[in-house]
Amino acid sequence: MTTSPAETTPIVIFDTTLRDGEQSPGATMTLEEKLEVAALLDEMGVDIIEAGFPIASDGDFEAVSEIAKRVKRATVCGLARAGAKDIDRCGEALRGAVRPRIHTFISTSPIHMKFKLQKEPAEVLEMVRAQVERARKYTDDVEWSAEDATRTEHEFLCRCVETAIKAGATTINIPDTVGYTVPEEYFAMFRMLIERVPNADKAIFSTHCHDDLGMAVANSLAGIRAGARQIECTINGIGERAGNAALEEIVMAIKTRGDVLPFTTGIDSTMLTRASKLVSAATSFPVQYNKAIVGRNAFAHESGIHQDGMLKHTQTYEIMTPESVGVAKTSLVMGKHSGRNAFRSKLKELGYDLGDNALEDAFNRFKALADRKKVIYDEDIEALVDEEIATFTDRIKVVSMMVVAGTQGPQTASLTLDIEGTERSVQSTGNGPIDAIFVAIQKLVPHNAVLELYQVHAVTEGTDAQAEVSVRLAEDGRVVTAKAADPDTLVASAKAYVGALNKLIIQRQRQVVAQARGPEGLRLKGV
Ligand code: KIV
Ligand code: ZN
């Protein structure tokens, strides 16, 4: 559901994942990882890639230099403080770039100037002029940033911006360095600068917002509504402290709400999920499940009401399609909130077509399982329905079971089976709980079958996973295998064993009919 206004203004997307993002604690990437991220950013249509801070380390220098040589479409940018050494190192790193940009910054807020820089405003103003002029010796594309701009006195900020433009800056960035501003205030700040600073029209204004109060994206959008034409952002919103404005959120907000945000970006939004996964893998920063656009729950629905709505019309609960951000499809997550309609639809997707009664039974058992298990995977549902189908045809069924296990033997099993409509119970001991169960089954259903295989594996992950047990029985040349799943391994074992016996009965029955002989082995009525 995208809405496009008659006329849209293009917004420059400046990605700083490899600089501000990589700067955040623990997000360090190797050169190879940075090259891979840069290539993807270029392919997806990012206009400017801030590749690093060349003076910071030899590794950063090498990364900026390599990215500069390899990226052919996007502008490649390096960051530099106000010193000559910083700017020269940055210029050097960008030498191989087709479109190089130097991004140079200095703090302008009273608190930063006094405590961090220990400089008077007049000195800072002079440094602004000098840093931009020096950067211009390397490239015509110079961006100047007023660090901590949102806590800077307006009069002084205007003078700094004026000086930077006069010295040759073509982009003026107004960072909310500490994530302090709110949308109305940031909007007013751009309006004030664009109206008051002489020659403001000679530069492009840019937003750069941090997310300390969770408003980085909202503030960035307020900035472009006020006249800024560049947004600085990062994939997954990684960055210093709480991070930067998330690129994927900016892009999709603009794409989805064209009616109130009459802008466009050059980003191929279908690559957003891929970019998110790549950056998450490279930085080892997990993406929060409920993260907008790229979180794994962003297109997942569990509530019964929502799933029902989605099945009737996807726009009931989705404002963008999963395909538009590179997700294959919406997922209706099966859990305790899922309703009958979603369950039926899931069964259909898995290839099952159950009658009304079987469906009702399977649904009730699914609900019971969902109460005990956090995540229900397709395999869980398959195991559950396979069992459901078996219970409709089986002649022996497990009714109840109680097992006493532990270090103090012997282990005992009390078992009740429904044998062709009659409940029969027995108690037995064994060498371990499984042996006790199998001996109990043998007592209730005497047979000569030999246990050839007993295997347990978890259907899905986690300690609450369902156990799937396979049992193979052999008797007089007949070999049958049955599987059963249950969160309780012992119950699954009993069901699998009984399942195998049921299969033996059917095989025998066929043989009996074929050979017109009397029943043998299992002593069950009618067999
Ligand atoms: O947040 C900030 O102020 C910065 C500048 C270096 C642009 O990242
Ligand atoms: Zn920043």
Side-chain angles (χ1 to χ4, degrees), residues 400-406 411-415 428 432-434 436-437 488 490-491 494:
S400 65
M401 198 179 83
M402 177 87 92
V403 176
V404 179
Q411 286 74 21
T412 60
S414 307
L415 180 72
S428 70
I434 304 290
I437 295 165
D488 185 323
L490 300 181
V491 174

Coordinates of all heavy atoms in Angstrom, one line a residue, residues 400-406 411-415 428 432-434 436-437 488 490-491 494:
S400 N -3.1 -43.6 29.0 CA -2.4 -42.9 30.0 C -1.2 -43.6 30.5 O -1.1 -44.9 30.2 CB -3.3 -42.6 31.2 OG -3.6 -43.8 31.9
M401 N -0.3 -42.9 31.1 CA 1.0 -43.6 31.5 C 1.6 -42.8 32.6 O 1.5 -41.6 32.7 CB 1.9 -43.5 30.3 CG 3.0 -44.5 30.3 SD 4.0 -44.3 28.9 CE 5.0 -42.9 29.3
M402 N 2.1 -43.5 33.5 CA 2.9 -42.9 34.6 C 4.2 -43.7 34.8 O 4.1 -44.9 34.9 CB 2.0 -43.0 35.9 CG 2.7 -42.5 37.1 SD 2.3 -40.7 37.2 CE 0.8 -40.8 38.2
V403 N 5.2 -43.0 34.8 CA 6.5 -43.6 34.9 C 7.3 -43.1 36.1 O 7.3 -41.9 36.4 CB 7.4 -43.4 33.6 CG1 8.8 -44.0 33.8 CG2 6.6 -44.0 32.4
V404 N 7.9 -44.0 36.9 CA 8.8 -43.6 38.0 C 10.2 -43.9 37.5 O 10.5 -45.0 37.3 CB 8.4 -44.3 39.3 CG1 9.4 -43.8 40.4 CG2 7.0 -44.0 39.7
A405 N 11.0 -42.8 37.4 CA 12.4 -43.0 37.0 C 13.3 -42.3 37.9 O 12.9 -41.6 38.8 CB 12.5 -42.4 35.6
G406 N 14.6 -42.5 37.8 CA 15.5 -41.9 38.7 C 16.7 -42.8 39.0 O 16.8 -43.9 38.4
Q411 N 13.0 -49.0 37.7 CA 12.0 -48.0 37.2 C 10.7 -48.7 36.9 O 10.7 -49.9 36.5 CB 12.6 -47.4 35.9 CG 13.7 -46.4 36.2 CD 15.0 -47.1 36.6 OE1 15.2 -48.2 36.3 NE2 15.9 -46.3 37.3
T412 N 9.6 -48.0 37.2 CA 8.3 -48.7 36.9 C 7.4 -47.9 36.0 O 7.5 -46.6 35.9 CB 7.5 -48.8 38.3 OG1 7.3 -47.5 38.8 CG2 8.2 -49.7 39.2
A413 N 6.6 -48.6 35.3 CA 5.7 -47.9 34.4 C 4.3 -48.5 34.6 O 4.1 -49.7 34.7 CB 6.1 -48.2 32.9
S414 N 3.3 -47.5 34.8 CA 1.9 -47.9 34.9 C 1.3 -47.5 33.6 O 1.3 -46.3 33.3 CB 1.2 -47.2 36.1 OG 2.0 -47.4 37.3
L415 N 0.7 -48.4 32.9 CA 0.2 -48.1 31.6 C -1.2 -48.5 31.3 O -1.6 -49.6 31.8 CB 1.1 -48.8 30.6 CG 0.8 -48.6 29.1 CD1 1.2 -47.2 28.6 CD2 1.6 -49.7 28.3
S428 N 4.5 -52.4 35.4 CA 5.7 -53.3 35.3 C 7.0 -52.6 35.6 O 7.0 -51.3 35.6 CB 5.8 -53.9 33.8 OG 6.1 -52.8 33.0
G432 N 15.4 -49.4 33.4 CA 15.3 -48.0 32.9 C 13.8 -47.8 32.5 O 13.1 -48.7 32.4
P433 N 13.4 -46.5 32.4 CA 12.0 -46.2 32.2 C 11.5 -46.7 30.8 O 10.3 -47.2 30.7 CB 12.0 -44.7 32.2 CG 13.4 -44.2 32.1 CD 14.3 -45.3 32.6
I434 N 12.3 -46.7 29.8 CA 11.9 -47.1 28.5 C 11.6 -48.6 28.5 O 10.6 -49.1 28.0 CB 12.9 -46.8 27.4 CG1 13.3 -45.3 27.4 CG2 12.5 -47.3 26.0 CD1 12.2 -44.4 26.9
A436 N 10.8 -50.4 31.1 CA 9.6 -50.6 31.9 C 8.4 -50.4 31.0 O 7.4 -51.1 31.1 CB 9.6 -49.6 33.1
I437 N 8.4 -49.4 30.2 CA 7.2 -49.1 29.3 C 7.0 -50.2 28.3 O 5.9 -50.7 28.1 CB 7.4 -47.7 28.6 CG1 7.4 -46.5 29.6 CG2 6.3 -47.5 27.5 CD1 8.0 -45.3 29.0
D488 N 7.1 -35.0 25.8 CA 7.6 -36.0 26.8 C 8.2 -37.2 26.0 O 7.4 -37.9 25.3 CB 6.5 -36.4 27.7 CG 7.0 -37.3 28.8 OD1 7.9 -38.1 28.5 OD2 6.4 -37.2 29.9
L490 N 9.2 -40.0 27.0 CA 8.7 -41.3 27.4 C 7.3 -41.6 26.7 O 7.0 -42.7 26.3 CB 8.6 -41.4 28.9 CG 9.9 -41.2 29.7 CD1 9.7 -41.3 31.2 CD2 10.9 -42.2 29.2
V491 N 6.5 -40.6 26.7 CA 5.2 -40.7 26.1 C 5.4 -41.0 24.6 O 4.7 -41.9 24.0 CB 4.3 -39.5 26.3 CG1 3.0 -39.6 25.5 CG2 4.0 -39.3 27.8
A494 N 6.3 -44.6 24.1 CA 5.2 -45.6 24.2 C 4.3 -45.5 22.9 O 3.9 -46.5 22.4 CB 4.4 -45.2 25.4

